[in-house]
Amino acid sequence: MKHFKNPFIQIAGICSILAPLTLLAGDLLLVTTNMRFEGTIFTWIGCVLFVPAVFGLSNLLFESGSRLAIVGGIFAFFGAIAGASMQVLFRVYAVLDEAGAAQTIELLRGTQKLVISTQAIGITLPVGLILLAVGLYLSRLLNPFIPLLLVIGAVLFPVGRIGGFSAAVFGSDIFLTAAFGFIGGWILTSSEIRRQTGNFSTDMQSAAADDS
């Protein structure tokens, strides 16, 4: 029988590494240049990449018996989706700003329904990441230093983005990049171990059996 790699786990591992790096690139464009439109594209990509990253971490935590895997994963998932939707809205703001439609921007920002349905939900991302970090710490799957990095990055996330503190924004990006860099490497290593030992989920085993 052939050895098969789980593509979902591999994608999750790669996205774990790329997601915070893409957020950092977007924030650099937003803060250091006038390329607001382009910056929101990078940030949107980063939020989208966080979805498989969160699923991958949640999956491995769940397999280790963590009770926080599902709850933390759900919160982080909705937060990542909300973050991506926010970037579409911010892209509209950027276009309107370039067109000199400042009053329209203020009108949109003052629309309560729009703010609640997009920006307010985004807080669930750092909440979910903190829950996953606690689950990661309690599971003792990695060095306790890594969940700490994740918690600091998650806490700085709303402080910088809601409070408007650039230092907190970049601090969050750096801590999340470090944390998810380790997590991504761990996920990819876990995928390789599973490939070598044949420890796959039932559906992957069935697929392998069909192809053998």
Side-chain angles (χ1 to χ4, degrees):
M1 182 181 294
K2 299 178 181 179
H3 287 299
F4 289 86
K5 295 183 178 180
N6 188 329
F8 169 77
I9 294 298
Q10 286 195 309
I11 291 172
I14 294 171
C15 288
S16 296
I17 298 171
L18 293 179
L21 286 173
T22 311
L23 280 184
L24 177 59
D27 290 330
L28 284 171
L29 286 175
L30 289 170
V31 174
T32 62
T33 71
N34 291 324
M35 302 171 65
R36 293 176 56 194
F37 183 90
E38 292 78 4
T40 60
I41 294 177
F42 275 91
T43 307
W44 177 82
I45 294 174
C47 291
V48 172
L49 292 176
F50 261 117
V51 173
V54 165
F55 281 163
L57 176 57
S58 301
N59 178 64
L60 292 182
L61 283 177
F62 179 78
E63 290 184 350
S64 72
S66 174
R67 297 179 180 180
L68 293 173
I70 295 179
V71 177
I74 290 174
F75 271 88
F77 167 74
F78 276 104
I81 295 298
S85 68
M86 273 189 275
Q87 300 314 309
V88 177
L89 179 61
F90 294 158
R91 210 170 303 149
V92 173
Y93 290 166
V95 172
L96 291 174
D97 185 56
E98 292 174 357
Q103 290 183 343
T104 304
I105 296 175
E106 292 303 317
L107 178 63
L108 290 174
R109 286 177 175 170
T111 305
Q112 189 174 13
K113 291 182 180 179
L114 187 60
V115 172
I116 293 176
S117 63
T118 53
Q119 295 172 252
I121 304 175
I123 193 64
T124 58
L125 175 59
V127 171
L129 292 181
I130 291 174
L131 292 174
L132 291 175
V134 173
L136 191 58
Y137 174 78
L138 295 176
S139 67
R140 302 183 183 277
L141 293 171
L142 293 175
N143 188 301
F145 182 65
I146 297 173
L148 177 61
L149 291 175
L150 185 55
V151 167
I152 295 174
V155 171
L156 290 177
F157 191 90
V159 172
R161 297 176 188 278
I162 297 177
F165 300 105
S166 297
V169 170
F170 289 117
S172 173
D173 291 341
I174 292 171
F175 278 105
L176 290 179
T177 297
F180 273 99
F182 285 113
I183 292 170
W186 170 58
I187 292 175
L188 291 173
T189 301
S190 173
S191 176
E192 180 63 18
I193 292 175
R194 289 170 177 227
R195 182 189 71 81
Q196 294 176 356
T197 61
N199 181 22
F200 297 98
S201 60
T202 303
D203 57 334
M204 292 301 295
Q205 289 178 349
S206 299
D210 292 339
D211 292 338
S212 61

